[in-house]
Amino acid sequence: MRTSIATVSLSGTLTEKLTAAARAGFDGVEIFENDLIGSPLGPEEIRDLVADLGLTIDLYQPMRDIEAVPEDEFARNLRRAEHKFRLMRRLGADTVLVCSSVSPYAADDDALAAGQLRRLAELAQEHGIRVAYEALAWGRHVNTYEHAWRIVESADHPALGICLDSFHILARGADTTGIEAIPGEKIFFVQLADAPRMSLDVLQWSRHHRCFPGQGDLDVTGLVRAAVRAGYGGPLSLEVFNDVFRQADAGRTAVDALRSLTLLQEAAGLTAPPAPVVPTGFAFVEIATADTTRLAPLLTALGFARTARHTGKPVDLWEQGEARILLNTDTAHHRADPALTAVGLESPDPAGASGRAESLLAPVLPRRRAPRDAALDAVAAPDGTEFFFCATDPAGSTGWTGDFAPAPHTPHPIGITRVDHVALTQPWHHFDEATLFHHGVLGLRPHAGVDLADPYGLLRSRAVSNEDGTVRIALGIGASPAQDRDREGRPQHVALLTDDLVATVRRALAAGARLLPVPANYYDDLAAHHEFAPGELETYRELGILHDRDEKGEFRHCYTMTTGRVFFELVERKDGYDGYGARNAPVRLAAQHATADRPPGAQS
């Protein structure tokens, strides 16, 4: 189906918004009245610009407080409408959005509303315009799509139809199956927005917290299916009021928006892009640093050995069990402090994973590669982390490991078996984009979000994973927008799995690892919440181990001191525990603030 986006969904001037929508690949736009009024371009110039960009104007909006009003007020409304209809003809738009009235003059009189909307439609028809009537969720008397449809049906005019807005419908918990009873030709327009579930006044919820489909909790897919089953064949258009989007780069937001529509159409069965290729594990985690003198000793203390060197690049492979860490010392990165720059994902079909990414506007990154190097494709996540699609060969003769020559080493493992998860701090204004990217492009399942208390603010965190938990990624927002100005200012961490955390920690400490100190108050509080075996809590206190448990099982974990912007977590999962120890995050964050000059602010 054709795709469209309301200019109110993007930041910038009208010209910037139109350009962003066109470059992202949208077919059309809704022109929001305020954007036109504030533009230095005349209607004809805007019409020509839209055409030059390969777009169409699918809707002009909004026209407010029209119907069910006293006759003298309605006469003024018709005069206002005629001016707008003439403007729309100059603009090249043929459909106008009319919102259900919130006017204090509006009467609770469906017959009056239908009669006046019919007269409005008659006037619109004279100008070649169609009227799409929408029920606002906070409309004075008309606030459901069923009620709006009864009025439109009663008015019975070919130039009058209904606009279905997913937010207004789903925010009120409406049953969308009734949409299928509306004749498709009378559904003039469909506007789409998602939103997180929130206990807010619906107007404030709508104005500040809408998001693109797939980034919230509303069943937008079900509404689209119902509209299509009714016979709707017009554009699917995004109308998203969001404080973050109004400040973010319009081009990037437009790409995120179109990706959400592509995924929505896939979920609704309307299109069939390349199928998701769900990763099966972590192939490697890459850390870039111009100076290994701080990180190499830490990896050694954690039981890793430098097992191989890339044959053509300054990249070393460190291994322990199935956990692999690449240290990239390419001076082109200009990173004095270590930073997590890439993640390799084990993929059953790397080519299929790349095709999926390309179809969802995540193009494969250009990469310098020698003729004999493995042909690894990578895409960039919203925070800039590169994700490689890998097929690891245990023998090291094919796949990406074949690019490395073995190095002499003496294994000294301390019990780490594999990478449990990676935690990536996102730019504060791209958190929802990141969730959609990791779900749609990488095929990972999003879990419920949590809020984490940092000494300097409240952080959002949300994990994504594959079904068996062999790939887990924790996404979070940094402590402040200021960190976004410097990508190296956003921390990341790598969690390493062990079957016996106590034994692993003792070996790490004996090898010289520096672990994050945990306040004694934490253990006093822990004793109040849970019962422990004799000596167990004392061991946790001695070693700086944190503990969590739920109805499934138990979780033990601890952290290294931060090196640059990277730190490591050692974790042990027992009896099906599937979380990340979120209740311990405030303790960890406070301890990191207390031991660092700059606040780390990463997520758990």
Side-chain angles (χ1 to χ4, degrees), residues 14 40 134 191 197 200 244 300 359 362 403 464 493 566 594 602:
L14 179 57
E134 170 190 74
Q191 292 179 316
R197 287 287 178 194
L200 281 178
V244 172
T300 301
S359 73
D403 296 345
V464 294
H493 83 258
V566 175

Side-chain angles (χ1 to χ4, degrees), residues 3-10 14 17-18 21 26-36 50 55-62 91 93 95-97 134 163-165 189-193 210 232 235-241:
T3 59
S4 185
I5 187 169
T7 55
V8 74
S9 305
L10 302 171
L14 179 57
K17 296 178 181 193
L18 295 174
F26 279 94
D27 300 309
V29 293
E30 304 175 34
I31 299 289
F32 194 67
E33 185 171 65
N34 288 357
D35 286 320
L36 181 139
V50 168
L55 297 168
T56 57
I57 298 177
D58 297 326
L59 189 73
Y60 183 75
Q61 64 122 331
L91 195 61
T95 304
V96 64
L97 176 70
E134 170 190 74
C163 173
L164 299 175
D165 183 302
F189 209 72
V190 171
Q191 292 179 316
L192 302 173
R210 294 195 196 193
Y232 177 71
L236 297 178
S237 188
L238 297 169
E239 187 199 35
V240 175
F241 298 87

Side-chain angles (χ1 to χ4, degrees), residues 273-441:
V277 180
V278 181
T280 57
F282 288 106
F284 62 81
V285 174
E286 179 175 297
I287 298 173
T289 178
D291 179 9
T292 63
T293 58
R294 296 161 64 199
L295 199 57
L298 174 58
L299 290 178
T300 301
L302 293 178
F304 284 84
R306 177 183 172 276
T307 60
R309 175 83 168 177
H310 196 281
T311 55
K313 300 175 184 176
V315 180
D316 290 326
L317 172 60
W318 292 69
E319 294 184 272
Q320 181 178 185
E322 295 180 6
R324 305 177 191 90
I325 295 175
L326 301 183
L327 282 194
N328 187 335
T329 56
D330 188 344
T331 55
H333 286 86
H334 299 297
R335 299 180 187 275
D337 286 339
L340 195 161
T341 56
V343 175
L345 297 174
E346 297 280 6
S347 175
D349 180 9
S354 298
R356 169 75 173 182
E358 294 272 11
S359 73
L360 292 172
L361 309 179
V364 170
L365 297 171
R367 179 170 171 259
R368 178 172 59 87
R369 184 171 66 88
R372 295 183 179 180
D373 285 355
L376 288 183
D377 287 339
V379 297
D383 70 329
T385 301
E386 296 179 4
F387 281 91
F388 286 83
F389 304 120
C390 304
T392 300
D393 173 21
S397 59
T398 63
W400 70 272
T401 54
D403 296 345
F404 288 78
H409 66 280
T410 302
H412 53 278
I414 66 169
I416 290 169
T417 57
R418 62 178 175 85
V419 173
D420 181 82
H421 67 274
V422 296
L424 304 174
T425 306
Q426 306 299 307
W428 72 275
H429 52 306
H430 294 308
F431 182 75
D432 291 328
E433 177 190 355
T435 303
L436 188 68
F437 173 92
H438 286 80
H439 170 57
V441 176

Side-chain angles (χ1 to χ4, degrees), residues 76 143 150 159 173 198 201 262 280 319 344 358 446 499 520 527 573:
R76 286 189 288 271
N143 49 40
R150 289 197 299 270
M198 306 179 81
D201 170 79
T262 303
T280 57
E319 294 184 272
E358 294 272 11
D499 295 329
R573 298 178 181 273

Side-chain angles (χ1 to χ4, degrees), residues 320 323 415-421 469 472 494-501 504 555-556 569-574:
Q320 181 178 185
I416 290 169
T417 57
R418 62 178 175 85
V419 173
D420 181 82
H421 67 274
R472 305 173 190 261
V494 181
L496 304 167
L497 186 67
T498 177
D499 295 329
D500 186 344
L501 183 62
T504 295
F555 187 62
R556 300 182 179 95
E569 180 182 8
L570 305 178
V571 308
E572 178 187 356
R573 298 178 181 273
K574 294 187 64 176

Side-chain angles (χ1 to χ4, degrees), residues 478-518:
S480 71
Q483 290 184 345
D484 291 340
R485 290 191 289 269
D486 176 8
R487 184 172 182 270
E488 293 185 29
R490 298 199 302 269
Q492 315 100 338
H493 83 258
V494 181
L496 304 167
L497 186 67
T498 177
D499 295 329
D500 186 344
L501 183 62
V502 170
T504 295
V505 170
R506 291 193 187 282
R507 294 179 188 128
L509 289 171
R514 294 176 61 233
L515 300 185
L516 186 71
V518 178

